[in-house]
Structures are given as C-alpha cells and as structure tokens.
Amino acid sequence: MILYIAIAVALIINIINPRILWRIDSWKYKNASKAEPSPLYLFLCRGLSLLGVVILIMAVYFRPMNLTDLVDRNSKLRITQQYMGVKNGEPYIDSEGYNELSEEQLESIFTLFQQYTYRRTYDTLFSDGSLSNLGERMIIFFVYEDDELVNTLIVSDTGRISVNDKSYIMQNSPELIRRVSEII
C-alpha cells in the first residue's frame, strides 16, 4: 500500500507541476544546468501522469479482497442454503437454515474462506446489493459479533455475490458452495 501511495504522490506532483520532477532529475548533469522542458514535454507528462493515476485507481479498486475480512474466528456464523428451480412448471425455493454450528465447523469454514477472494465490479459503487442471474444454488452467511449482525454475504453459483448490500463477483463460487455444504 505504501508503494501505491508513493506512486500516486509522484504522479500527482507530475500532473500539478511536471517541472519539479524535471528539476529533480537534473542531479545527473555535472553543471546542473539542464535546459527548460518544452511545452510539448509538459503536456505529455501531465497526460501520461493522469493516465497513470487512473490506472493506479483501477488497480486499487479492482484488487482481490479476502473473505476472511468479513469473518473472524470469534464471530458467530449462521448459514442459509437455498435451492431454486422449476418443477412441473412451478417455480420453487427450498431453504435450509444452519444456526448452530460446532467449533470444528466454524474453524473449517474460516479456513475455507482463506482460500477465496472476491472483486468489485464497475457497478459495485452504485449497487444496492441486488443480484441477477442467481442460478440454482445460493448460500447466505450471516456474521454476528456479540449478537449484533455485522456482515451479510450472499453467494450464488453464478459467481455473483452480495456483501453488505453491494454487488461483487467471485471466481469458483459453485466450489465454495459445495465445500461449505460438505462441512455443514
């Protein structure tokens, strides 16, 4: 993170006044009399620095986030699994709740969460947490600390997830659902 901050500061300085970095570079010259930069050079430096800031912001925004950021070892966890489909022309939703998990199950789920990451999407910032294209299976994790709900995680088997009413994407979500089902 410190590297991101250092790069961002250098890029912003170069956008505001590219002459500063131009002068810092003058230590290479023995007589320290470096010619002034051309207007074209200044324009290109500002443009490339602005592009660099945009790329840096995108790299930070779309970085993978770990599921263990949502659940810690001392949290209480409640899980609901849902199966959705159509039988004889009628839609159905079967739901199973798992409210009392053993310490071994909680530890296994926490260890499992260490193996999975999720990412923001372009619409995460403005989303309301609603999911489309849910697929057939979905698992919902309710995370409590001291009987207070602190995080809600909804994982669908299509790779779409919702974390605290914001939409994200996750690779291998069907595998996560299957492995959690085996634990509980």
Side-chain angles (χ1 to χ4, degrees):
M1 188 52 89
I2 293 173
L3 181 62
Y4 286 132
I5 293 170
I7 292 171
V9 167
L11 290 171
I12 290 171
I13 287 173
N14 211 31
I15 290 171
I16 294 170
N17 189 354
R19 285 187 176 91
I20 294 173
L21 292 180
W22 177 270
R23 294 201 197 297
I24 290 173
D25 188 46
S26 67
W27 66 270
K28 295 180 191 175
Y29 302 95
K30 292 182 182 178
N31 60 6
S33 60
K34 189 175 177 182
E36 285 295 314
S38 69
L40 178 62
Y41 174 84
L42 296 175
F43 176 76
L44 289 175
C45 277
R46 283 187 172 123
L48 290 175
S49 294
L50 185 62
L51 179 64
V53 167
V54 169
I55 290 171
L56 186 66
I57 289 170
M58 288 179 64
V60 170
Y61 182 77
F62 291 113
R63 79 183 189 291
M65 295 175 287
N66 205 337
L67 286 178
T68 54
D69 296 340
L70 303 172
V71 179
D72 64 16
R73 295 188 189 277
N74 300 326
S75 299
K76 293 180 185 175
L77 193 62
R78 298 201 174 148
I79 300 173
T80 301
Q81 264 191 320
Q82 293 184 345
Y83 303 92
M84 297 169 275
V86 177
K87 184 187 279 185
N88 298 328
E90 294 292 323
Y92 70 91
I93 298 176
D94 288 337
S95 183
E96 295 179 48
Y98 303 93
N99 293 331
E100 300 299 326
L101 299 173
S102 69
E103 292 295 324
E104 294 170 356
Q105 289 173 319
L106 288 172
E107 185 63 33
S108 297
I109 290 172
F110 185 79
T111 303
L112 185 64
F113 275 15
Q114 291 174 337
Q115 301 170 16
Y116 290 90
T117 60
Y118 63 101
R119 296 177 188 262
R120 291 180 181 97
T121 63
Y122 290 110
D123 62 344
T124 296
L125 191 59
F126 304 106
S127 72
D128 60 357
S130 60
L131 299 174
S132 59
N133 300 329
L134 291 178
E136 295 178 359
R137 293 180 72 183
M138 189 167 58
I139 192 162
I140 305 166
F141 300 92
F142 300 100
V143 182
Y144 291 88
E145 288 183 12
D146 299 327
D147 297 328
E148 180 182 342
L149 181 64
V150 291
N151 290 314
T152 302
L153 169 65
I154 303 170
V155 180
S156 75
D157 64 356
T158 60
R160 309 248 188 235
I161 70 169
S162 175
V163 177
N164 297 328
D165 298 328
K166 294 290 181 185
S167 299
Y168 298 86
I169 57 171
M170 173 191 283
Q171 291 182 343
N172 301 326
S173 64
E175 180 183 323
L176 173 68
I177 293 171
R178 180 186 55 80
R179 291 178 70 186
V180 168
S181 297
E182 290 171 358
I183 293 171
I184 55 177

